[in-house]
Amino acid sequence: AAPVAVPAPTPPGTSGPAPPARRRPGERLGPVMVPVVALLGMSLYWSSYYLAEPSVRVRHPMHPWLRASGYLGQSAGILALLIFLFLWLYPLRKNVRWLRWTGAMSKWLDVHVTVALVLPALTAFHASWRFDGLIGLGFWSMMIVCLSGIVGRYLYVNIPRSATGLELNAEEIAEERRE
């Protein structure tokens, strides 16, 4: 005979097992912090290059590596482009029904936000921390979009929801507080 699983006894004075702990925003920032800290650390290490005038940078021994079209700069740019293209999969997943098999929207949002937070540091590293002209306009536009995403995620997490996931209105919130 197969063993039968017996549920653990409920402690006296409780109505059942405790609900799963709610995940807190920012709880899983490790995947974001590692590459961002690495990029900022490399930028600080090579600050003699990044803080120099363009005419001095050309003579710097790390110029072939750190310039935007250099070995590290171009690699960062290609990776940033791939991440940017990857970020467009989230709105595609939201709007295309046959992609439901790829997972829950909450997981997609988590990945979208996590990957998007790396993009500004990676782009700045690619641009050699120079934001002149059209490149600067594109960078600061990306920063506005990134900040609006952070605000949106904050609001999304902090809007009260019912057990079914629907947003609660002010009357429903007041009713829940009275109970």
Side-chain angles (χ1 to χ4, degrees):
V4 177
V6 177
T10 304
T14 62
S15 60
R22 185 175 171 181
R23 205 175 81 219
R24 303 175 82 195
E27 192 173 281
R28 296 183 189 167
L29 283 179
V32 172
M33 295 308 292
V34 170
V36 169
V37 168
L39 288 167
L40 293 176
M42 289 189 307
S43 298
L44 187 61
Y45 181 75
W46 290 310
S47 62
S48 63
Y49 175 79
Y50 291 117
L51 296 175
E53 292 296 319
S55 60
V56 177
R57 282 186 181 193
V58 176
R59 293 176 190 81
H60 195 280
M62 289 302 292
H63 183 69
W65 287 84
L66 299 177
R67 66 182 180 187
S69 61
Y71 306 116
L72 292 177
Q74 190 170 31
S75 298
I78 290 169
L79 185 57
L81 174 66
L82 293 173
I83 288 173
F84 184 75
L85 294 173
F86 173 79
L87 292 176
W88 281 100
L89 292 177
Y90 173 70
L92 184 68
R93 164 61 180 92
K94 271 175 62 174
N95 295 314
V96 178
R97 290 181 149 236
W98 62 267
L99 288 174
R100 286 186 180 166
W101 62 272
T102 60
M105 284 303 301
S106 61
K107 297 296 181 196
W108 272 85
L109 181 61
D110 287 345
V111 170
H112 177 83
V113 169
T114 302
V115 172
L117 289 173
V118 175
L119 197 55
L122 192 60
T123 306
F125 188 79
H126 161 66
S128 299
W129 296 93
R130 303 222 25 115
F131 309 112
D132 302 331
L134 194 58
I135 299 298
L137 180 64
F139 178 80
W140 293 115
S141 298
M142 178 189 63
M143 290 302 295
I144 290 169
V145 170
C146 188
L147 290 173
S148 73
I150 292 169
V151 169
R153 179 65 174 161
Y154 173 81
L155 293 174
Y156 176 79
V157 167
N158 289 300
I159 291 176
R161 297 180 186 280
S162 68
T164 60
L166 298 175
E167 296 175 8
L168 299 176
N169 61 31
E171 294 168 357
E172 293 168 331
I173 295 169
E175 185 179 316
E176 274 195 13
R177 287 184 179 165
R178 279 186 245 123
E179 292 177 358

